[in-house]
Amino acid sequence: MAGFGAKGPDPQQPCPCGGGSEGASYATCCRPLHRQERAAATAEQLMRSRYSAFALAEIDHLLRTQPSEEPVQARRRSLEASCRKLRWRGLEIVATEAGGPADLEGTVTFIAHYSAGAQQGTLRECSRFGREACRPDGAWLYLEAIELSG
């Protein structure tokens, strides 16, 4: 996988999120969301695309999909530092509640595996997502972690 500062991920590599059909390529899974070629249809799809964005240092997608009062440049620096430090190694979806194409909100509980140098770790989170009501496409946004441990 390409990391931070690389020329970009190989579209034919397996998607980091493991989503879609078994062995789905990045080109057919999360890349269209990262490139704004299509919007996430569900909260889980947005969560998977955000995981892949962390794994592949797709910072613009992360900024677009999480509202914040913090200045964009400060958020960008923080995300870039995180992408340099951590390598995301795998994603498991534990549960979803609502978050379908007709829903306005939903949650996704997941376990994400990472390494930081020689250290291995896991992040367990229940994330809350909502649709952006002010946009005509009603895009899904990451709103907050409602449970967090690691």
Side-chain angles (χ1 to χ4, degrees):
M1 275 185 216
F4 183 79
K7 287 188 176 187
D10 175 359
Q12 299 313 312
Q13 75 183 20
C15 193
C17 81
S21 58
E22 193 65 32
S25 72
Y26 174 59
T28 61
C29 193
C30 289
R31 186 173 190 243
L33 281 73
H34 293 171
R35 301 290 180 258
Q36 294 184 280
E37 295 166 1
R38 66 178 160 86
T42 66
E44 180 181 339
Q45 192 175 51
L46 180 63
M47 199 244 70
R48 287 180 174 281
S49 75
R50 285 181 54 82
Y51 171 86
S52 291
F54 276 106
L56 300 171
E58 292 287 343
I59 305 300
D60 289 337
H61 182 69
L62 296 169
L63 292 170
R64 262 193 316 275
T65 58
Q66 181 180 9
S68 177
E69 298 294 321
E70 185 180 0
V72 172
Q73 288 306 321
R75 290 175 58 211
R76 180 177 297 282
R77 282 191 299 273
S78 175
L79 288 165
E80 287 170 350
S82 174
C83 288
R84 277 199 246 3
K85 179 180 176 185
L86 300 176
R87 294 292 174 242
W88 294 96
R89 305 292 184 194
L91 176 67
E92 300 170 47
I93 302 298
V94 176
T96 60
E97 185 176 318
D103 295 319
L104 295 177
E105 289 194 359
T107 61
V108 180
T109 304
F110 65 91
I111 300 170
H113 303 274
Y114 65 88
S115 61
Q119 303 257 7
Q120 303 283 321
T122 58
L123 169 69
R124 290 175 179 83
E125 182 174 311
C126 180
S127 297
R128 188 170 70 89
F129 295 86
R131 288 201 185 262
E132 191 173 18
C134 63
R135 287 184 44 185
D137 64 359
W140 283 102
L141 294 171
Y142 169 81
L143 300 177
E144 65 181 336
I146 54 179
E147 295 175 17
L148 181 67
S149 68

